[in-house]
Amino acid sequence: LAKTTQPISMDSYEGQEVNITCSHNNIATNDYITWYQQFPSQGPRFIIQGYKTKVTNEVASLFIPADRKSSTLSLPRVSLSDTAVYYCLVGSLQTGANNLFFGTGTRLTVIP
Amino acid sequence: KAGVTQTPRYLIKTRGQQVTLSCSPISGHRSVSWYQQTPGQGLQFLFEYFSETQRNKGNFPGRFSGRQFSNSRSEMNVSTLELGDSALYLCASSRGEGTGELFFGEGSRLTVL
């Protein structure tokens, strides 16, 4: 079960780019890296997923170095509505959802 | 397409009672997993059902149980409620294979008095 380490909290001003780094030293060959966003009293929401190198979608980018032992979620020009908890997960659903460990996440606070 | 639906959204019970929560997954998804979220413990995996069979189980006592029906809808039951069972209970559906992503419902908030 690949566990992750990420900062407990981060603050950022509106309009800035935010980078949240996640360490996953024991990532397995078949594991993917997935990031979720959670607002209070709501279920987590999928943001982005990648295996290696860089992945970009309409809301974020995910940078994964060659050794895959860490990854960085990049949120461009954050707004107040990006204030949430962000979870980094490592694993795949191939053998079950229990392999996706949520951890404590990173609480991002965007300041006006 | 319709998202994951959880019912009820809020409920209050007293110690010793039992509760049943329901989750309707996204159409075509065969996996439903359940999570308990509390401020102190974060998001903890309870169990997962795939094609009506429990595929994985987290580290929770036997008071927590679940099942999945042939239409993939799932229920979880907590018997002999304790104060510490107060939490947001989330379910997530997925295809249950491959890289996949989990689609979460909005949760059922249980308060035990």
Side-chain angles (χ1 to χ4, degrees):
Chain A
L1 186 63
K3 293 197 176 179
T4 60
T5 302
Q6 51 184 125
I8 293 176
S9 64
M10 294 180 69
D11 293 338
S12 176
Y13 288 102
E14 269 191 297
Q16 289 189 327
E17 177 184 75
V18 171
N19 295 310
I20 306 175
T21 298
C22 178
S23 297
H24 28 81
N25 291 320
N26 58 342
I27 187 170
T29 303
N30 296 329
D31 287 344
Y32 281 73
I33 300 157
T34 311
W35 286 79
Y36 287 81
Q37 175 193 55
Q38 186 179 26
F39 298 112
S41 297
Q42 293 186 23
R45 183 175 70 100
F46 173 91
I47 301 175
I48 196 166
Q49 183 181 75
Y51 184 80
K52 61 180 178 180
T53 65
K54 176 184 174 182
V55 179
T56 298
N57 62 21
E58 62 276 7
V59 298
S61 295
L62 179 59
F63 299 91
I64 306 169
D67 66 6
R68 304 202 324 126
K69 293 186 183 299
S70 67
S71 59
T72 299
L73 173 72
S74 181
L75 304 172
R77 299 178 299 283
V78 294
S79 64
L80 296 178
S81 62
D82 292 318
T83 294
V85 177
Y86 292 82
Y87 295 96
C88 163
L89 279 69
V90 170
S92 77
L93 293 174
Q94 198 63 39
T95 53
N98 64 313
N99 290 315
L100 300 178
F101 180 71
F102 273 82
T104 55
T106 297
R107 183 174 300 277
L108 172 66
T109 302
V110 180
I111 306 164
Chain B
K1 56 185 175 182
V4 178
T5 304
Q6 290 189 246
T7 57
R9 290 292 314 281
Y10 303 92
L11 65 167
I12 300 173
K13 295 286 187 178
T14 56
R15 279 183 300 173
Q17 287 187 311
Q18 67 92 26
V19 65
T20 299
L21 309 178
S22 178
C23 175
S24 293
I26 291 171
S27 178
H29 285 186
R30 295 191 293 167
S31 166
V32 173
S33 49
W34 288 89
Y35 301 80
Q36 181 196 64
Q37 187 170 35
T38 60
Q41 297 295 322
L43 235 163
Q44 294 187 289
F45 174 82
L46 279 158
F47 33 66
E48 178 195 9
Y49 285 86
F50 182 79
S51 294
E52 301 180 64
T53 301
Q54 187 179 83
R55 181 158 72 166
N56 292 291
K57 190 176 190 303
N59 189 27
F60 277 81
R63 300 186 297 108
F64 292 81
S65 63
R67 59 178 175 169
Q68 186 179 34
F69 302 96
S70 58
N71 61 358
S72 292
R73 190 178 70 85
S74 177
E75 289 181 347
M76 68 162 282
N77 184 78
V78 187
S79 62
T80 320
L81 284 166
E82 301 176 358
L83 295 179
D85 296 333
S86 294
L88 180 66
Y89 289 88
L90 293 159
C91 83
S93 80
S94 74
R95 298 191 184 281
E97 54 198 2
T99 63
E101 65 181 89
L102 297 172
F103 295 84
F104 284 84
E106 295 200 344
S108 294
R109 181 161 300 278
L110 169 66
T111 301
V112 182
L113 302 177

